[in-house]
Amino acid sequence: MIAMIGTVCVGASSLAAQQKNDSLLATFAGIEDDSTRLDSMIKVAFELGFSDPVLGLWLAEKSEAEAKSQRRSRMQVRAQLVRGSDYYNLRILDKALSHFLEALNLADSIGYAKGQANAWNNIANVQADQGHNLEALESYRNSRRTNLRLGSKHNAMIALSNIATIYIALGEYDRGIAVCDSAFKEIDDPNDDRSYGSIYMTLCTAYDTLGNLPKAIQNIDLAIEKFEKIGDDYDLLKGLLSKAEVLNKQGMVDQALQAVNRALQMGLELGGLEEAVGCYNLLSKIAKAKGDAVTALEWMEKSKALSDSIRTEESETALANYQALYEVNQKDAEIDLLNKDKEIQEAKLSNVWYLFGLVSVVLLAMISVVVILVRSNKARRRINLELQGKNEQILKQHEQISVQNTALSDQNEQLNNLNHEMSGLLHVVAHDLKAPLNQVTGLLSVVEDEGNLNPTQEKMLAMAKKVTNNAGNLVKDLVELGSAEQQGAQLQKVPVPLKSLVAEVAAAFSADAARKSITIETTLPEEETICQTEPNQLRRVLENLVSNALKFSPQGKSVRISLTQDAGFHRISIQDQGPGISAADQKNLYRKFHKLSARPTGGESSSGLGLAIVKTLVEQLGGEIALTSEVGVGSTFVVSLPI
């Protein structure tokens, strides 16, 4: 969890923050050698990322600007990597990924292999955190290949260990275990207990998922031994919690309680609050398995209270960080504006004689025109007077139009502000509803697990779960729409393998399709197709469209997904055999909260936001979405992206 910002403050303390920034720069001013000073600034910016990431980010930006002015490209790559790391510590992942990609592009252009390796590793970390495991796998492979070329065996081994973790996350457990064995062989220092412990933890996860609990316990015990040896309390805490969960699965309740109680004590002492929540949840699960519903509920309430506290602290921290970032950037913008104004004034001063000569020529020309006009005949004067009168009328009309335009502009601005405030309020309210809805779902599960309900109570419980689930889906859509509307200017497009992405999305919905006896058919090219786009946003578009196709398709039908190229576009088509969309519905198809007259065939919920989200995302990607539909036959949505 990110520490609270204490040095770069908000509001009235922004002046103190600026003074601290100036003081920090002054400490480097005494270093005469440019290279040494810049190297020190980058190192300090990186270290600040763990204690004061906003201040670290500010210093990294200054370092990058100085490196650029001195034409020190490698230093510039390092500064960009630090900026990405500081954004990563602030959990602003899109910004972090953007800076890591910038660092990678610059490192590629200058042949800086070490910068390339670090950039690929950081890109993979962000992609893994975002759940994009296929992209993370390829990035870790690139990091490993680059480190091997550099002869950095240790970093290459770490990349291999991360590759094993991704394989396990993808469900390729045997392959992940094999890669772990290879990583063990690449550890060149027998005393590298941290690396050994990390790989043992990965193996524990694999064997636990495969159901080989003795093997899982064997590996987690080895990991705990390594972490205890080097005094790594935080990884030891995670190891103890994992061990407790595996022991509980194997029915060794007393040993599980011993491990989880130790983990809970460590979590509270070290400030590992997320792990403490995990301990409370496991204790609740153990109590429920013993039939002690009261104790189970008490543990769950502790988990809820601590989770709420964590979320509140994270929200306050994020708000403080964003405010501090805004104020620092605003101050820098003011300084840049003053510098530009100074440049303009200097330019004006340097050109004063030129302007004087130009004005003199203009005055002479005007005098000549006046002489000519004086010598003109009466008819010409009359015409000029008429023209002057018409010009005055035009000017008056222009002034009236200008006033009206100003009024309209003010009204439009007010409407835009109101719309923005309303969208922001919806986004905040929806986000704040997520935690209470999750808690209601958990409490309903406890009631259901207790059993002993009469038929009426069971029916009411099922209705409550359905209503809660529908509300959760609505909240999710509201949050997603708010994020989509705010994200457009921050897109970072990268080469994306469309064939793999489409296949991955189709596979992800196979279980949902099977529940309705629906077949998902894919028609994909033999060769991989690369598109320059933003993968996360495109994935959300396809997931929404495939989810809708399944939602409105009757049982036993098919959903067809195809990928083609024509007329300079990649075209992804999703076709269903549902009820179709009427001409009346198509007029308001992409409006927020507009629900179709056709209803989902399996009783699924519909918030009326899915297609509004899709259209917003597609347009931000620079693409188009089109619909062809026939009532009673089905609908086909086609997403077109430029090649």
Side-chain angles (χ1 to χ4, degrees):
M1 185 176 63
I2 300 171
M4 291 292 289
I5 300 301
T7 52
V8 179
C9 306
V10 300
S13 59
S14 59
L15 177 59
Q18 184 61 40
Q19 290 173 345
K20 177 172 183 179
N21 297 349
D22 295 341
S23 175
L24 182 61
L25 283 181
T27 61
F28 300 107
I31 304 176
E32 295 182 359
D33 181 70
D34 289 342
S35 179
T36 304
R37 181 179 64 257
L38 191 53
D39 180 70
S40 299
M41 290 172 64
I42 293 172
K43 288 178 179 178
V44 172
F46 178 75
E47 294 298 329
L48 282 171
F50 300 100
S51 59
D52 193 344
V54 173
L55 183 58
L57 184 59
W58 177 84
L59 183 57
E61 290 173 353
K62 296 296 181 185
S63 302
E64 182 182 350
E66 186 165 336
K68 189 174 183 179
S69 67
Q70 296 179 16
R71 297 185 179 180
R72 298 178 185 272
S73 298
R74 294 196 174 196
M75 292 286 195
Q76 191 177 344
V77 171
R78 289 175 55 198
Q80 286 175 336
L81 289 171
V82 172
R83 290 183 70 183
S85 297
D86 290 340
Y87 273 118
Y88 184 84
N89 291 332
L90 288 167
R91 305 310 295 165
I92 307 176
L93 298 185
D94 290 338
K95 279 279 192 180
L97 183 60
S98 174
H99 285 293
F100 290 144
L101 288 169
E102 286 182 18
L104 177 63
N105 291 335
L106 180 56
D108 285 343
S109 67
I110 62 175
Y112 182 25
K114 186 175 180 180
Q116 292 170 317
N118 290 336
W120 277 121
N121 186 71
N122 284 304
I123 289 168
N125 291 338
V126 175
Q127 291 168 334
D129 281 1
Q130 292 175 330
H132 305 146
N133 292 320
L134 289 175
E135 290 92 339
L137 180 63
E138 187 59 32
S139 297
Y140 279 131
R141 284 173 174 165
N142 287 331
S143 174
R144 174 171 168 77
R145 283 192 288 265
T146 309
N147 278 304
L148 288 174
R149 289 202 310 270
L150 285 169
S152 180
K153 295 181 179 179
H154 179 74
N155 289 338
M157 178 275 298
I158 291 176
L160 188 61
S161 174
N162 289 331
I163 289 170
T165 302
I166 296 297
Y167 275 132
I168 291 169
L170 290 169
E172 299 186 37
Y173 304 110
D174 292 336
R175 195 168 183 180
I177 291 170
V179 174
C180 282
D181 291 337
S182 299
F184 276 131
K185 296 175 183 177
E186 291 192 10
I187 299 178
D188 52 4
D189 182 1
N191 295 318
D192 188 0
D193 294 306
R194 188 179 306 280
S195 296
Y196 279 113
S198 176
I199 299 172
Y200 283 134
M201 286 278 285
T202 303
L203 286 170
C204 170
T205 301
Y207 285 121
D208 178 24
T209 308
L210 289 170
N212 190 342
L213 299 183
K215 272 279 193 181
I217 292 175
Q218 177 186 352
N219 280 280
I220 198 61
D221 281 339
L222 290 170
I224 289 173
E225 177 185 341
K226 296 296 183 183
F227 295 144
E228 285 181 327
K229 182 178 177 182
I230 61 176
D232 186 346
D233 290 336
Y234 189 70
D235 281 332
L236 175 60
L237 165 61
K238 293 193 290 186
L240 287 169
L241 180 55
S242 296
K243 180 178 180 179
E245 291 172 343
V246 176
L247 288 170
N248 184 54
K249 289 180 183 178
Q250 201 170 17
M252 303 170 70
V253 178
D254 292 337
Q255 291 174 267
L257 281 171
Q258 183 180 359
V260 74
N261 284 326
R262 183 184 174 191
L264 178 58
Q265 182 180 357
M266 288 187 66
L268 296 176
E269 290 175 353
L270 297 172
L273 301 185
E274 294 285 359
E275 287 71 22
V277 170
C279 292
Y280 286 140
N281 290 335
L282 180 56
L283 287 167
S284 176
K285 188 184 298 183
I286 292 173
K288 186 166 65 175
K290 287 184 172 184
D292 189 350
V294 174
T295 303
L297 187 58
E298 289 176 353
W299 287 122
M300 180 173 289
E301 288 175 347
K302 288 186 177 182
S303 171
K304 170 186 171 298
L306 185 55
S307 294
D308 289 345
S309 175
I310 293 172
R311 299 291 86 79
T312 299
E313 184 178 357
E314 287 178 345
S315 298
E316 292 174 351
T317 300
L319 179 61
N321 288 339
Y322 275 116
Q323 183 69 24
L325 277 173
Y326 170 77
E327 292 183 352
V328 170
N329 290 335
Q330 187 180 44
K331 187 66 177 180
D332 286 345
E334 291 174 358
I335 293 172
D336 290 341
L337 187 61
L338 289 173
N339 289 335
K340 289 180 180 178
D341 185 62
K342 182 180 178 182
E343 291 175 1
I344 292 171
Q345 295 300 326
E346 290 176 349
K348 288 181 178 179
L349 184 62
S350 65
N351 292 327
V352 65
W353 289 108
Y354 170 78
L355 292 174
F356 178 77
L358 182 62
V359 169
S360 300
V361 172
V362 171
L363 287 173
L364 288 173
M366 291 176 65
I367 292 171
S368 300
V369 170
V370 170
V371 172
I372 293 172
L373 289 174
V374 170
R375 293 177 179 178
S376 297
N377 55 39
K378 294 181 179 180
R380 178 69 57 84
R381 287 198 298 271
R382 186 177 63 253
I383 293 172
N384 287 341
L385 289 173
E386 291 175 356
L387 289 175
Q388 182 178 355
K390 291 181 179 180
N391 285 337
E392 289 175 354
Q393 293 177 358
I394 292 172
L395 286 174
K396 289 180 181 179
Q397 293 174 353
H398 178 74
E399 289 175 357
Q400 293 173 353
I401 293 172
S402 177
V403 170
Q404 293 173 352
N405 286 339
T406 301
L408 287 173
S409 178
D410 291 340
Q411 292 174 356
N412 287 335
E413 183 176 0
Q414 291 175 3
L415 289 173
N416 287 333
N417 290 337
L418 288 172
N419 184 56
H420 180 72
E421 290 175 3
M422 183 182 69
S423 298
L425 180 60
L426 278 175
H427 183 70
V428 170
V429 171
H431 190 276
D432 288 346
L433 283 174
K434 289 173 66 178
L437 286 173
N438 290 335
Q439 294 157 15
V440 171
T441 301
L443 291 172
L444 290 175
S445 297
V446 171
V447 173
E448 185 178 33
D449 291 342
E450 280 297 301
N452 298 324
L453 301 176
N454 61 44
T456 301
Q457 291 171 332
E458 290 179 347
K459 183 177 179 180
M460 296 297 291
L461 179 62
M463 290 174 61
K465 291 179 69 176
K466 182 177 181 180
V467 169
T468 305
N469 183 59
N470 291 346
N473 290 336
L474 175 58
V475 167
K476 177 183 175 184
D477 287 344
L478 282 170
V479 172
E480 186 174 10
L481 180 60
S483 299
E485 291 176 337
Q486 297 172 12
Q487 186 178 345
Q490 304 173 3
L491 289 182
Q492 184 69 42
K493 295 184 179 182
V494 296
V496 175
L498 284 186
K499 177 183 175 183
S500 299
L501 179 60
V502 172
E504 183 179 347
V505 171
F509 283 92
S510 59
D512 293 337
R515 280 193 288 271
K516 295 181 70 172
S517 300
I518 294 174
T519 303
I520 296 181
E521 302 175 0
T522 57
T523 303
L524 305 175
E526 294 182 1
E527 300 294 331
E528 184 60 82
T529 302
I530 302 300
C531 176
Q532 193 78 12
T533 187
E534 207 290 317
N536 306 335
Q537 198 143 312
L538 180 56
R539 182 192 302 273
R540 288 158 65 191
V541 169
L542 299 182
E543 288 174 348
N544 266 299
L545 292 175
V546 175
S547 175
N548 275 355
L550 294 174
K551 188 183 297 182
F552 289 92
S553 292
Q555 291 191 355
K557 298 294 184 178
S558 298
V559 171
R560 298 184 176 91
I561 306 173
S562 64
L563 172 61
T564 59
Q565 287 184 344
D566 67 84
F569 286 90
H570 301 288
R571 303 198 191 275
I572 306 171
S573 170
I574 295 92
Q575 179 184 10
D576 63 47
Q577 296 176 336
I581 301 174
S582 67
D585 277 337
Q586 290 185 35
K587 294 179 181 178
N588 300 305
L589 188 63
Y590 301 106
R591 288 184 58 187
K592 298 177 185 176
F593 300 107
H594 176 73
K595 295 186 179 181
L596 303 178
S597 56
R599 305 309 304 154
T601 58
E604 300 94 334
S605 64
S606 175
S607 65
L609 292 172
L611 291 176
I613 293 171
V614 165
K615 184 171 178 61
T616 299
L617 296 178
V618 170
E619 289 178 347
Q620 289 177 358
L621 293 174
E624 301 173 351
I625 183 167
L627 165 70
T628 56
S629 184
E630 183 177 351
V631 176
V633 177
S635 302
T636 301
F637 284 91
V638 179
V639 177
S640 301
L641 299 172
I643 293 180

